[in-house]
Amino acid sequence: MLTILSNCTLIDGTSRAPVNDALIAVSGGRVVYAGSASGWKARVEPRRNETDRDSIKIDLRDQYVLPGLIDTHVHLSGSGEADSQFYAPTGQMALKILSNAQKNLAAGITTVRDLGGWSELEFDVRRAIQRGEFAGPRMCLAGRFISITEAGADHYAGMYRVADGADEVRKAVREQVKHGADVIKMGVTGAVLVEGGAPGATHFNFDEMQALVEEANKFGKPVEMHAHGIDGIRKAIDAGVNTLEHGTYLHQDPNVIQQMAQRGVFLVPTLKVGWDIIHAEESTIPAWIMDKNKATQGEAAMSLKMAYEAGVQIAMGSDVGTPLNYHGENALEVYWMYKAGLSAMDAIIAATGNAARALGWNSWMGTLEAGKAADLIVHEKNPLEDLRSLADKQSLRFVMKDGMVVAARAGEALPKEFFAEKVLAI
Ligand SMILES: [Zn+2]
């Protein structure tokens, strides 16, 4: 059966300009065609009877179709707690992870990369979603945050895996792979959201970084680094990491930025969390969190601008789950990247085609092109006019994953064949 979405404007997640009077044809969970309606017509006219017989047609007049958004940096185990305390007893934590995963999907985030889960519970949640027991997004998982001995391991007890020395680091990587990790997370420098953590300080020594990357690559897993300070960033890029998260002080060394561009290392700037904290009622946020964010936010925006202008690949990562940074509001990160200097279209690409590249999943998803997974969102407002509308539930009409509607507004009048078995309310 063929599902045909027509009469819309298509923003396909590649660098192609928006297509007006577009048509998207979906079958078997994949995109069969995405482009101009006239192009489709020319293609199917010779076998018109065939396509007419078994198709559902949806008229999306004046609406905008984009790929399902991909957030490359989330924490499903956090719900935006003001003091950044994620802890919950095991059963409650599993439910919290599931609930947060569903909030992403219902907001049009069809894929998340979780960078620091909790006691491996996110793997159980992913299995339940994959079995079809619950609606949920695609999940690319890192398992635990591999870190040297430091205070963060006490603050985020279920998230960290402490490893000191190259041998222990290798063992920590093997554990994540055993649990089903798709990517390995390395804590290269101190953190903003750890009390007493020094974001500029390098944590792992170079031999430990090399051991981690080598071990991960042995299993075909990419490595992402949590890093703020330039010394750590420089060393980890030399060691061969694939994506840089935060990158706060990257602007301090344009040579490192050049290297990132040359080697295709992605930057995931995670700007939203800092702005949410800075704009918060001060009384709700512990002073140490507020002060550190005020000290680092301008630097992070400057680093993004310089990296973007130097041709570094940018991927969207909201860091949702961190203080006042709520699941479902992820897409505001797209707006903050635009405010830091990306064009509106490049900010959208960072959350679609480029995000898929950052995950290494771009061969089969992330853009609306023939052959790719039919993950898409339908908005009433034009995101290119105001990127904040991507996070506006008044604008989001429905969400499709694998060619089926998995989230829709209550009472949405769509053919029932269109819906997945489990459907969330937007
Ligand atoms: Zn994070």
Side-chain angles (χ1 to χ4, degrees):
M1 194 177 60
L2 203 59
T3 303
I4 293 175
L5 309 174
S6 62
N7 259 328
C8 50
T9 298
L10 168 68
I11 299 170
D12 68 6
T14 72
S15 50
R16 176 156 78 146
V19 180
N20 296 317
D21 190 17
L23 181 148
I24 297 108
V26 170
S27 180
R30 300 265 159 182
V31 175
V32 174
Y33 176 87
S36 67
S38 57
W40 173 252
K41 205 168 163 228
R43 185 178 144 148
V44 302
E45 203 63 47
R47 38 193 193 96
R48 192 169 178 77
N49 293 339
E50 242 180 280
T51 49
D52 269 2
R53 198 176 53 235
D54 279 332
S55 59
I56 317 176
K57 295 199 177 77
I58 317 282
D59 188 336
L60 296 178
R61 190 167 298 274
D62 298 331
Q63 294 168 61
Y64 298 82
V65 175
L66 291 86
L69 302 182
I70 302 168
D71 191 334
T72 71
H73 191 135
V74 307
H75 295 280
L76 296 173
S77 56
S79 297
E81 294 86 348
D83 58 1
S84 208
Q85 282 291 356
F86 292 5
Y87 174 81
T90 304
Q92 286 180 37
M93 179 55 89
L95 294 171
K96 185 178 172 187
I97 290 171
L98 174 61
S99 165
N100 285 335
Q102 292 190 332
K103 284 177 191 161
N104 282 271
L105 186 64
I109 314 295
T110 51
T111 302
V112 295
R113 184 173 68 159
D114 185 280
L115 297 179
W118 204 273
S119 302
E120 289 74 46
L121 294 166
E122 66 279 13
F123 294 100
D124 291 327
V125 170
R126 178 168 68 177
R127 271 188 287 274
I129 291 171
Q130 286 174 341
R131 283 195 297 260
E133 292 165 17
F134 301 97
R138 297 183 196 284
M139 290 162 69
C140 177
L141 301 177
R144 294 197 185 227
F145 179 124
I146 301 177
S147 162
I148 63 162
T149 295
E150 58 120 350
D154 300 334
H155 190 93
Y156 302 101
M159 186 194 293
Y160 274 53
R161 164 61 162 97
V162 168
D164 294 300
D167 286 348
E168 191 61 23
V169 162
R170 287 182 195 276
K171 186 173 182 189
V173 171
R174 290 170 192 171
E175 286 172 7
Q176 309 319 307
V177 173
K178 173 184 121 175
H179 291 130
D182 306 284
V183 56
I184 303 299
K185 174 164 189 171
M186 170 161 56
V188 167
T189 73
V192 172
L193 290 172
V194 171
E195 190 168 8
T202 306
H203 278 186
F204 280 116
N205 295 331
F206 189 63
D207 68 316
E208 294 168 313
M209 296 182 196
Q210 280 183 309
L212 188 147
V213 171
E214 190 183 273
E215 198 65 23
N217 291 350
K218 196 170 88 183
F219 295 105
K221 309 295 178 189
V223 175
E224 65 89 4
M225 63 162 141
H226 156 103
H228 298 282
I230 190 67
D231 175 68
I233 295 170
R234 186 185 297 118
K235 286 176 177 152
I237 287 171
D238 276 347
V241 303
N242 305 90
T243 72
L244 162 60
E245 313 296 310
H246 316 306
T248 305
Y249 299 111
L250 181 61
H251 66 83
Q252 291 173 351
D253 190 346
N255 290 330
V256 174
I257 294 176
Q258 284 303 329
Q259 270 198 347
M260 285 181 70
Q262 280 157 16
R263 296 189 186 184
V265 178
F266 280 78
L267 173 64
V268 180
T270 67
L271 300 176
K272 178 179 182 296
V273 52
W275 291 124
D276 286 344
I277 290 169
I278 288 168
H279 293 147
E281 290 280 329
E282 302 225 359
S283 58
T284 65
I285 294 279
W288 65 268
I289 292 181
M290 180 62 85
D291 293 346
K292 285 171 87 176
N293 275 279
K294 283 185 173 165
T296 53
Q297 191 66 9
E299 313 249 359
M302 194 195 314
S303 291
L304 170 58
K305 187 167 193 294
M306 283 174 63
Y308 174 62
E309 286 168 358
V312 173
Q313 305 263 36
I314 312 293
M316 187 276 273
S318 64
D319 217 353
V320 284
T322 50
L324 311 187
N325 185 8
Y326 302 108
H327 292 275
E329 296 180 355
N330 323 45
L332 291 173
E333 178 73 19
V334 179
Y335 168 74
W336 287 117
M337 290 192 294
Y338 162 74
K339 293 296 277 184
L342 268 69
S343 74
M345 187 54 109
D346 282 346
I348 288 174
I349 291 169
T352 52
N354 256 15
R357 269 191 281 280
L359 268 54
W361 289 4
N362 53 303
S363 65
W364 58 276
M365 57 94 74
T367 55
L368 291 175
E369 296 176 283
K372 299 276 178 84
D375 295 355
L376 60 84
I377 53 177
V378 178
H379 271 275
E380 289 184 343
K381 295 180 187 162
N382 182 356
L384 290 168
E385 276 170 17
D386 183 357
L387 289 166
R388 284 171 293 192
S389 69
L390 286 173
D392 178 2
K393 293 204 166 186
Q394 303 296 316
S395 170
L396 182 60
R397 193 177 159 202
F398 63 84
V399 179
M400 191 184 257
K401 182 183 150 206
D402 285 324
M404 304 295 277
V405 171
V406 287
R409 288 183 196 164
E412 186 63 71
L414 292 167
K416 68 176 189 318
E417 301 93 318
F418 212 41
F419 287 93
E421 201 182 319
K422 305 277 195 302
V423 182
L424 302 173
I426 286 174

